[in-house]
Amino acid sequence: MSRTALRDLVRRVDAATPPGRDRALDALRALAVLGVVLGHWLVTALVADSGTVHGASPLAYLPTLTPVSWVFQTLAVFFLVGGLVAARGHASARARGTTYGAWLRARVARLFRPVVAVLAVWTVAAAAMLAAGTSPDTVHTLCKLVLSPLWFLLVFTALTAATPLVARLHPAWPLAVVLTVDVLRFGLGAPAWLGWINVAAGWLVPYCLGAAWARGLPSSRTTGWALLLGGTAATAALVLYAGYPASMVGVPGAPVSNLNPPTLAAVTFGLAQCGAALLLLGPLRRLLTRRPALWAAVALLNLSVMTVFLWHQTAMMAVTATGLLAGGPLPGLHTLPDGPGWVLARLAWLPVFAAALLVCVTAFRAYERGRPRRDARTAGELGAGGIAGVPRPRSGIPVPYRR
């Protein structure tokens, strides 16, 4: 794209954005998804060994990398924004007389259209690999990497469907459930399966916080600092004195994972992230207003955010598979993640992963956007939620928000 076309796109996106739109919310959603993508690329290794490929994590070999999980485990921010947008959207839909079913279908549609494409492609790919004689262990490893992120969509969809019920639920209630479950599991020897209650309760905490924000809960800097400092202090105490893992993602071989299922430490850490998100709102609003090019990048990313999330592991695996054609294991791509050299090599591979992801997004983003809608008002409202379809202008260049 030429500079002139790029400037024209930036101008059109900025002009099409309604004056009342909170650009910072879109930025937080984009940052949350990019955090997950970069986190997976940094802590997931595919090691080629004796004709098979198996997964490994540098966190298991290099504990000093644990702070990486603090930076890139950003799902709480996504649930915070999701709760806010869903609560506002449902209230707006009720005011217009839209039924709950129609509202839910519109919000869920954009989530699951791209899922169908991923499942179709990987069903064919897995069958082809097995038919070609690829080791079943290798196929299992690759398919697990593709399918494992889908748990997030299932939980998010369930919470979205429950929005009318939880819109007025105080975040302290699901937090109390998480605390009770952890006390029973780790303090009183209750069965480990009890922890799966926290899959819903744990992510319900930031989701309810977002819903409470939508109905007028103070979102001042004081609230942000209280959540950030309180959540950080609670997480540090749980790690230092209660035996919780320091990593905020799962580490292969570790007896306890903070994320699978979520623990109290993961939830308090998420509250700290929510506090940081509140503190970033003002600076992000000012930055995105002053920098139309940056806002255009955020807006366009939000148009394909689910496609990015669903295909980022495929992009990494495509680069890894292509690298095997070089004739030997490549550092940072096929080698064991057991030293600083692997880390430096992996950082060098990140731009290649990003380029492969861009190809995937270009090929499959249409499944997320769906068909153009004639009703600009409806499309604008659904686009504001970041979930449903967004209209496409006649020029073919996507304009995410119309006046």
Side-chain angles (χ1 to χ4, degrees), residues 151-230:
W151 71 264
F152 155 77
L153 293 182
L154 295 176
V155 174
F156 191 79
T157 301
L159 296 186
T160 300
T163 296
L165 298 177
V166 304
R168 296 190 174 276
L169 182 67
H170 195 282
W173 288 107
L175 180 61
V177 172
V178 174
L179 172 61
T180 301
V181 168
D182 274 19
V183 168
L184 292 175
R185 288 175 63 200
F186 303 129
L188 301 177
W193 60 259
L194 199 65
W196 293 104
I197 295 174
N198 285 351
V199 173
W203 299 117
L204 193 56
V205 174
Y207 193 88
C208 284
L209 188 61
W213 179 11
R215 66 175 184 265
L217 181 75
S219 56
S220 62
R221 293 185 64 82
T222 300
T223 302
W225 280 113
L227 287 170
L228 175 60
L229 297 178

Side-chain angles (χ1 to χ4, degrees), residues 64 93 113:
T64 53
R113 276 195 301 264

Side-chain angles (χ1 to χ4, degrees), residues 286-310:
R286 291 189 292 272
L287 179 64
L288 293 171
T289 301
R290 293 197 304 263
R291 305 279 181 151
L294 183 59
W295 163 240
V298 169
L300 294 175
L301 174 58
N302 271 271
L303 284 175
S304 303
V305 70
M306 283 298 103
T307 305
V308 169
F309 178 78
L310 290 170

Side-chain angles (χ1 to χ4, degrees), residues 237-258:
L238 290 169
V239 171
L240 295 174
Y241 304 112
Y244 283 83
S247 173
M248 289 299 133
V249 299
V251 179
V256 176
S257 167
N258 272 324

